[in-house]
């Protein structure tokens, strides 16, 4: 009988489909893109290569990479209609909300279903321009047009700040993008795949994904990590601050993960990147807060495997790269457009409407509607 089984609240361990894009092995702390361990990806890859890899399963050869870069470059400029929509948004909107609204407005000239890799490139290339343009206007600054000779992540920083970025910082942000490009059946990717399964277009599906990324249980955690570090203020204050926060029932942002029973491999790599680019006192503060948080969580919840997740050191890295806090979750979204594209293509390639069920626990059938009020 439909809807009569025990609910799987949160869909833990529910397998909805086969996927070849990324493997998340929560018990072993593995994240693998199309067979490449994430440590291997973050060591050597370019973001553009990962955009291609996630969708096609192989690395692009030099000619394909060049064509991909040209295709991205040709999609960075905005249409006059989209510029007008951007100009009409109130600058008080949080940048993630602005990005979601502007991506929605991209839909007017986007083709429908099934999605194509070119639709994905429009999303990957368009989002940084939309975000940078909105942020600059909110700062009272003129837009900075993209430069075709700059790589994807450098271009974002260029369009945002109007300066060619320092290579060390640009590479740190690119490595962040590589680490965040995909992550199995996470909440925003599921939302995207549900939308694609209804045969909606990629832009609509990306709006669903962006909406799902917003909450602190998913993409909305890292700016809260920065706020927490500010509030702790000194390594000596880490232990009492954490004890007090937990005593008040507060969740510690940057810790815990649905999939991982061991440390999130992205946290390990981001810690190394943070050590390389962050101001030493900020990094020392982060280490002290992490140590105090892990010790306190182990003591309070010995049976729950709670470790540092991707967002903790992501915050430290994004601060060091010079991004303001309100751009942390949007930066996550820019990186994840690579994975969203791949998942949209995969979903459409053997599509079946994703339509789960709920167990009905409301009143029994048979209630009578009262006579209409005269
Ligand atoms: N701080 C304190 N306690 C925690 C934390 C935390 N960060 N995370 C989990 N717990 C505790 C819960 O209170 C719960 O305890 P209980 O069983 O005694 O009630 C237990 O651990 C299990 O928690 P759930 O909420 O059931 O775990 P779930 O898998 O649903 O949550 C989540 C995962 C949402 C990430 C959670 O760990 C959390 O809220 N973390 C803080 C926010 C955060 O860092 N978000 C970013 C996640 S990474 C990403 O999505 C990109």
């Amino acid at each position: 009988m439909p809807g009569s089984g025990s609910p799987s609240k949160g869909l833990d361990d529910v397998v909805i489909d086969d996927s070849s894009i990324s493997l998340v092995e929560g018990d072993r702390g593995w994240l693998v893109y199309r067979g490449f361990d994430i440590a291997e990806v973050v060591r050597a890859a370019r973001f553009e290569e990962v955009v291609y890899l996630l969708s096609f399963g192989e690395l692009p050869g030099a000619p394909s990479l060049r064509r991909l870069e040209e295709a991205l470059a040709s999609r960075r400029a905005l249409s006059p209609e989209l510029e007008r929509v951007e100009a009409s948004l109130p600058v008080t909107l949080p940048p993630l909300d602005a990005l979601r609204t502007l991506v929605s407005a991209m839909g007017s000239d986007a083709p429908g279903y099934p999605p194509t890799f070119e639709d994905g490139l429009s999303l990957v290339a368009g989002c940084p321009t939309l975000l940078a343009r909105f942020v600059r206007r909110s700062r009272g600054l003129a837009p900075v047009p993209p430069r075709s000779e700059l790589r994807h992540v450098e271009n974002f920083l260029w369009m945002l700040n109007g300066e060619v970025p320092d290579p060390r910082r640009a590479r740190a942000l690119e490595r962040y993008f590589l680490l965040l490009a995909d992550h199995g059946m996470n909440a925003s990717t599921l939302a995207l795949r549900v939308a694609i399964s209804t045969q909606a277009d990629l832009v609509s599906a990306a709006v669903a994904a962006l909406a799902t990324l917003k909450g602190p249980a998913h993409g909305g955690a890292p700016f809260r990590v920065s706020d927490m570090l500010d509030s702790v203020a000194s390594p000596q204050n880490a232990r009492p601050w954490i004890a007090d926060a937990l005593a008040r029932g507060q969740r510690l942002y940057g810790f815990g993960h649905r999939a991982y029973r061991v440390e999130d491999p992205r946290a390990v790599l981001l810690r190394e990147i943070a050590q390389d680019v962050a101001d030493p006192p900020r990094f020392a503060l982060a280490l002290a807060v992490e140590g105090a948080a892990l010790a306190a969580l182990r003591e309070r919840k010995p049976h729950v495997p709670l470790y540092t997740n991707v967002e903790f050191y992501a915050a430290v890295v994004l601060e060091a790269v010079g991004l303001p806090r309100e751009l942390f979750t949007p930066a996550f979204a820019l990186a994840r457009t690579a994975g969203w594209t791949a998942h949209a293509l995969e979903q459409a390639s053997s599509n079946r409407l994703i339509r789960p069920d709920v167990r009905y626990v409301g009143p029994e059938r048979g209630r009578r509607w009262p006579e209409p009020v005269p």
Side-chain angles (χ1 to χ4, degrees), residues 229 270-290 312-313 316 319:
L229 293 179
L270 281 161
R271 190 187 292 111
E272 288 171 17
I273 301 169
Q275 181 163 25
D276 185 37
V277 290
D279 285 341
R282 190 68 168 172
F283 182 69
L285 175 64
L287 274 182
V289 170
E290 181 188 29
F312 188 76
Y313 284 103
V316 184
E319 284 176 5

Side-chain angles (χ1 to χ4, degrees), residues 103 106 118-128 202-203 206 337 340-341:
V103 167
M106 285 172 95
E118 287 66 36
D119 297 343
L121 293 183
S122 297
L123 185 72
V124 171
C127 284
L202 179 58
V203 162
T337 54
W340 290 340
T341 297

Side-chain angles (χ1 to χ4, degrees), residues 78-91:
L78 305 182
S79 66
E81 294 78 23
L82 209 44
E83 286 185 4
R84 269 199 295 281
V85 176
E86 189 286 312
S88 71
L89 293 187
V91 292

Side-chain angles (χ1 to χ4, degrees), residues 100-337:
R100 195 187 58 236
T101 308
L102 292 167
V103 167
S104 190
M106 285 172 95
S108 53
D109 57 357
Y113 181 89
T116 63
F117 184 59
E118 287 66 36
D119 297 343
L121 293 183
S122 297
L123 185 72
V124 171
C127 284
T129 313
L130 290 169
L131 183 63
R133 194 180 171 97
F134 173 79
V135 171
R136 285 187 71 81
R137 190 165 59 79
S138 70
R139 293 173 181 166
L141 298 169
V144 172
R147 279 167 60 164
S148 57
E149 80 282 12
L150 294 180
R151 278 161 54 174
H152 186 73
V153 175
E154 288 173 318
N155 235 318
F156 169 55
L157 289 172
W158 159 253
M159 289 188 287
L160 186 66
N161 299 323
E163 289 167 10
V164 176
D166 160 60
R168 210 162 123 255
R169 288 194 175 166
R171 181 61 187 157
L173 186 61
E174 182 167 47
R175 294 175 83 194
Y176 166 86
F177 270 49
L178 293 169
L179 286 163
L180 275 287
D182 197 47
H183 201 246
M185 200 38 49
N186 61 88
S188 56
T189 300
L190 173 63
L192 170 118
R193 288 187 75 134
V194 170
I196 293 289
S197 85
T198 71
Q199 302 181 19
D201 58 275
L202 179 58
V203 162
S204 304
V207 174
L210 280 161
T212 312
L213 193 67
K214 186 172 182 181
H218 190 13
F223 73 88
R224 292 173 165 93
V225 171
S226 288
D227 292 349
M228 174 172 74
L229 293 179
D230 284 356
S231 175
V232 175
S234 73
Q236 300 79 330
N237 193 31
R239 278 184 59 188
W241 193 98
I242 293 286
D244 179 59
L246 288 174
R248 283 186 285 107
Q250 210 176 298
R251 289 222 165 181
L252 303 176
Y253 294 107
F255 298 92
H257 198 281
R258 175 66 62 83
Y260 291 110
R261 309 271 177 269
V262 295
E263 193 172 26
D264 184 332
R266 301 167 299 175
V268 178
L269 295 160
L270 281 161
R271 190 187 292 111
E272 288 171 17
I273 301 169
Q275 181 163 25
D276 185 37
V277 290
D279 285 341
R282 190 68 168 172
F283 182 69
L285 175 64
L287 274 182
V289 170
E290 181 188 29
L294 292 176
L297 289 170
R298 241 188 331 266
E299 196 182 304
R300 287 180 151 256
K301 312 232 176 238
H303 306 300
V304 189
L306 291 172
Y307 295 93
T308 315
N309 68 39
V310 61
E311 302 288 34
F312 188 76
Y313 284 103
V316 184
V317 169
L318 295 177
E319 284 176 5
V321 165
L323 289 195
R325 283 168 207 197
E326 64 276 16
L327 293 191
F328 288 4
T329 306
F332 184 164
L334 301 189
R336 193 51 63 85
T337 54

